[in-house]
């Protein structure tokens, strides 16, 4: 059993984890950087330890400081949240060596999914559909051209150490390939210390639909349906929902069982997400696996009436799965409220919250760490609140979202609320006619 959890994160997710720990009656330790001294996770945790100066690499990514903080406070587990240490396999090895339970998957699962080419091969072997492309890494322009000829242009060059849209380049023909190959290799080497590339045929007009899975340490894995995440901008998700407006029972079952097979192949435990591209004919293709709890986990929680963070902690302490897979009960939508100016290319806009009112009522959830007088530090990501609404139907959830956005007052900073208000009234969104390129095609301001 876990006796005390150190939360190696900040912001809304740190608060979310503290709430789950309180329900489970597990004491918490917050770590914080000097820039986060006045943050709510510091206020609501049972114990706190300052781990360094503002910069992420000196604080929330500073492994010796985090481990020392756990040892000083006798925390026997570390919850990484998302980002920071969440998908760092060496950190998991270090936790294990120190006798600390990492609240997440094994180092080995993280490693096997972290290399995108190995992950794809693992999925293919588990009979999960993958996009046609190279068998593993491609070592030369010549080899790349040979594969491009077989599968046909356009192709994507992808860095094996990339992911989430990083280290990817579109190539339309042989002429472009020569330059693109060496450039993408060079960029991958600089960004990830690994130049290796693999090739995929470009899938167009597709949606980003991901399957939530949950495994325990006894070999049981279930899937908890899908999330539709196609409303993105520069690989940053802005709106997520569960279920997907295009989902059918048959497709859900096919994608869900494929996701479970893939997770089984890496002996996965904890919550994880298998991302798929789904084309217009409802063919689905594995993209990558996220070996962490994700930002958008609340839409799954509200659609199914479960608490994924509590389940994650119970799994880490060795309990068997107790929840059962079931079809969605409710439709849930999440709007990410960022401290960004949507009228100015979504430029980050940190500052002080002068006045604040959170929306509420039946079917409205706000996950946020901000309060009146709080100054958003400029060092971290710009997420200030997740607004989730849920209702028996999609139209009901959209209607509630619009009212909740209208009621939401945040003064002192610019936020993405005006963007979300437009989207909730946008006929394309209301009809579910969206894909991953939707926001590139339209100018949201003229909606
Ligand atoms: C693709 C693709 C089209 N074809 N792969 C971007 C993030 C990473 N998960 C994989 N990504 C893509 N891979 C093939 N073969 C299009 C994307 C993509 C994308 C995927 C999901 C959500 C938004 C996206 C935006 C641009 C490109």
């Amino acid at each position: 059993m876990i006796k005390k959890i150190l939360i190696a994160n900040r912001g809304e997710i740190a608060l979310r984890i503290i709430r789950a720990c309180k329900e489970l009656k597990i004491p918490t330790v917050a770590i914080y950087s000097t820039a986060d001294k006045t943050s709510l996770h510091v206020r609501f945790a049972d114990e706190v330890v300052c781990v360094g100066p503002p910069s992420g690499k000196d604080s929330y990514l500073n492994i010796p400081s985090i481990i020392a903080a756990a040892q000083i406070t006798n925390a026997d587990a570390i919850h990484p949240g998302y980002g920071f240490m969440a998908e760092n396999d060496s950190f998991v090895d270090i936790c294990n060596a120190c006798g600390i339970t990492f609240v997440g998957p094994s180092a080995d699962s993280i490693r096997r999914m972290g290399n995108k080419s190995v992950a794809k091969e693992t999925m293919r072997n588990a009979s999960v559909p993958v996009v046609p492309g190279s068998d593993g890494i491609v070592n030369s322009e010549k080899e790349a051209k040979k594969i491009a000829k077989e599968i046909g242009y356009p192709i994507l060059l992808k860095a094996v150490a990339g992911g989430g849209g990083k280290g990817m380049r579109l190539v339309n023909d042989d002429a472009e390939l020569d330059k693109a190959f060496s450039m993408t290799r060079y960029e991958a080497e600089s960004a990830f210390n690994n130049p290796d590339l693999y090739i995929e045929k470009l899938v167009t007009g597709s949606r980003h639909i991901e399957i939530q899975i949950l495994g325990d340490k006894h070999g049981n894995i279930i899937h908890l349906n899908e999330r539709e995440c196609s409303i993105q901008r520069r690989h940053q998700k802005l709106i997520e929902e569960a279920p997907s407006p295009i989902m059918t029972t048959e497709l859900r079952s096919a994608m869900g069982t494929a996701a479970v097979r893939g997770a089984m192949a890496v002996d996965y435990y904890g919550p994880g997400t298998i991302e798929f591209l789904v084309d217009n004919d409802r063919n689905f293709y594995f993209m990558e696996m996220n070996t962490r709890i994700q930002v958008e986990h609340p839409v799954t929680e509200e659609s199914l009436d479960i608490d994924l963070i509590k389940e994650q902690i119970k799994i880490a302490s060795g309990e068997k799965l107790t929840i059962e897979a079931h079809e969605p009960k409710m439709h849930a939508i999440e709007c990410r409220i960022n401290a960004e100016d949507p009228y100015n290319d979504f430029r980050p806009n940190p500052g002080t919250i002068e006045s604040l009112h959170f929306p509420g009522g039946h079917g409205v959830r706000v996950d946020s760490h901000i309060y009146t007088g709080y100054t958003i530090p400029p060092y971290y990501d710009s997420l200030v609140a997740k607004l989730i609404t849920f209702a028996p139907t999609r139209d009901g959830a959209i209607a509630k979202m619009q009212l909740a956005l209208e009621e939401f007052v945040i003064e002192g900073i610019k936020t993405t609320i005006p963007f979300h208000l437009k989207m909730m009234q946008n006929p394309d969104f209301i009809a579910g006619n969206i894909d991953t390129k939707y926001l590139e095609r339209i100018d949201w301001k003229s909606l």
Side-chain angles (χ1 to χ4, degrees):
M1 270 305 289
I2 290 173
K3 294 201 197 63
K4 192 189 280 186
I5 296 182
L6 179 142
I7 297 149
N9 216 303
R10 61 178 305 283
E12 68 84 21
I13 193 64
L15 215 46
R16 169 75 187 85
I17 298 162
I18 290 172
R19 288 174 176 146
C21 290
K22 285 186 173 167
E23 283 192 38
L24 294 169
K25 304 201 186 323
I26 300 173
T28 54
V29 180
I31 60 166
Y32 66 100
S33 74
T34 51
D36 274 341
K37 201 171 173 52
T38 58
S39 287
L40 286 189
H41 73 285
V42 178
R43 169 118 177 237
F44 291 138
D46 297 304
E47 293 172 75
V48 302
V49 180
C50 182
V51 288
S55 153
K57 76 172 178 7
D58 296 326
S59 52
Y60 301 102
L61 291 166
N62 183 340
I63 296 178
S65 292
I66 297 167
I67 297 290
Q71 288 172 333
I72 291 164
T73 54
N74 280 314
D76 56 349
I78 296 181
H79 196 307
Y82 51 70
F84 297 124
M85 308 313 297
E87 294 177 276
N88 185 326
D89 54 273
S90 323
F91 181 70
V92 180
D93 284 332
I94 293 166
C95 288
N96 292 339
C98 296
I100 297 167
T101 302
F102 178 79
V103 184
S106 69
D108 192 53
S109 297
I110 296 174
R111 247 187 308 270
R112 289 159 75 185
M113 287 300 174
N115 181 310
K116 303 305 168 190
S117 172
V118 170
K120 187 177 178 184
E121 196 54 37
T122 306
M123 289 294 167
R124 199 208 320 264
N125 291 335
S127 307
V128 178
V130 298
V131 183
S134 59
D135 286 326
I137 63 173
V138 176
N139 287 304
S140 66
E141 281 94 337
K142 192 166 162 237
E143 200 184 325
K145 279 181 190 165
K146 187 163 158 268
I147 293 155
K149 195 172 175 138
E150 284 162 25
I151 63 175
Y153 284 104
I155 60 160
L156 285 173
L157 292 176
K158 293 188 172 186
V160 303
K166 293 198 209 89
M168 238 172 62
R169 187 183 246 100
L170 174 68
V171 182
N172 288 297
D173 53 45
D174 272 2
E176 273 181 36
L177 188 66
D178 287 311
K179 236 203 235 144
F181 191 82
S182 55
M183 274 180 71
T184 313
R185 256 182 87 82
Y186 178 81
E187 285 164 8
E189 169 71 52
S190 327
F192 319 114
N193 279 316
N194 181 348
D196 290 345
L197 306 179
Y198 66 107
I199 290 179
E200 275 185 0
K201 188 168 175 63
L202 178 75
V203 179
T204 54
S206 52
R207 293 164 179 265
H208 172 136
I209 301 180
E210 55 188 33
I211 300 285
Q212 176 71 56
I213 62 105
L214 189 63
D216 65 19
K217 292 182 176 177
H218 307 273
N220 306 300
I221 305 182
I222 58 171
H223 78 84
L224 296 169
N225 308 330
E226 77 284 359
R227 291 185 289 260
E228 163 78 61
C229 304
S230 297
I231 300 292
Q232 312 199 352
R233 202 182 156 274
R234 299 185 185 163
H235 303 293
Q236 287 293 113
K237 294 168 185 162
L238 283 161
I239 303 174
E240 304 98 343
E241 58 183 306
S244 165
I246 64 141
M247 194 49 65
T248 62
T249 307
E250 296 72 43
L251 181 60
R252 176 175 295 130
S253 171
M255 291 178 71
T257 53
V260 169
R261 282 198 304 279
M264 289 276 187
V266 294
D267 302 314
Y268 198 84
Y269 52 77
T273 299
I274 318 265
E275 292 182 7
F276 292 102
L277 280 178
V278 180
D279 71 18
N280 281 326
D281 301 322
R282 287 198 173 81
N283 297 305
F284 62 92
Y285 306 97
F286 168 76
M287 285 285 103
E288 50 194 71
M289 179 170 189
N290 300 317
T291 54
R292 60 170 188 274
I293 191 79
Q294 286 188 275
V295 175
E296 61 270 28
H297 75 274
V299 296
T300 297
E301 294 185 323
E302 299 307 335
S303 166
L304 292 178
D305 193 20
I306 56 171
D307 185 325
L308 280 169
I309 307 279
K310 275 166 68 180
E311 296 304 323
Q312 180 181 29
I313 294 167
K314 290 194 282 181
I315 288 160
S317 61
E319 287 186 35
K320 283 190 175 164
L321 281 181
T322 51
I323 61 172
E324 275 172 36
H326 52 274
E327 287 276 296
K329 292 182 185 174
M330 298 287 264
H331 197 99
I333 302 182
E334 172 178 279
C335 289
R336 295 194 192 188
I337 316 296
N338 298 329
E340 294 171 0
D341 180 2
Y343 295 101
N344 211 333
D345 208 30
F346 290 80
R347 217 173 42 219
N349 191 260
T352 299
I353 311 289
E354 306 291 355
S355 89
L356 180 66
H357 169 73
F358 283 160
H362 186 218
V364 178
R365 167 176 171 183
V366 181
D367 279 19
S368 174
H369 61 294
I370 64 173
Y371 58 88
T372 305
Y374 176 64
T375 300
I376 297 152
Y379 311 101
Y380 316 106
D381 79 22
S382 60
L383 183 71
V384 294
K386 302 189 303 203
L387 174 58
I388 304 104
T389 61
F390 45 99
T393 64
R394 185 169 187 269
D395 286 346
I398 292 173
K400 267 189 204 290
M401 183 61 81
Q402 177 163 346
L403 298 178
L405 288 162
E406 286 168 0
E407 191 186 323
F408 212 141
V409 180
I410 307 182
E411 284 173 350
I413 58 164
K414 295 193 172 76
T415 75
T416 48
I417 289 174
F419 163 81
H420 289 301
L421 266 172
K422 282 268 196 225
M423 287 300 287
M424 292 306 122
Q425 300 164 80
N426 169 8
D428 292 326
F429 180 77
I430 291 168
N433 288 332
I434 45 172
D435 60 69
T436 58
K437 293 280 185 291
Y438 183 75
L439 292 185
E440 285 176 37
R441 278 199 302 279
I442 57 132
D443 177 12
W444 76 269
K445 297 185 270 332
S446 59
L447 286 175

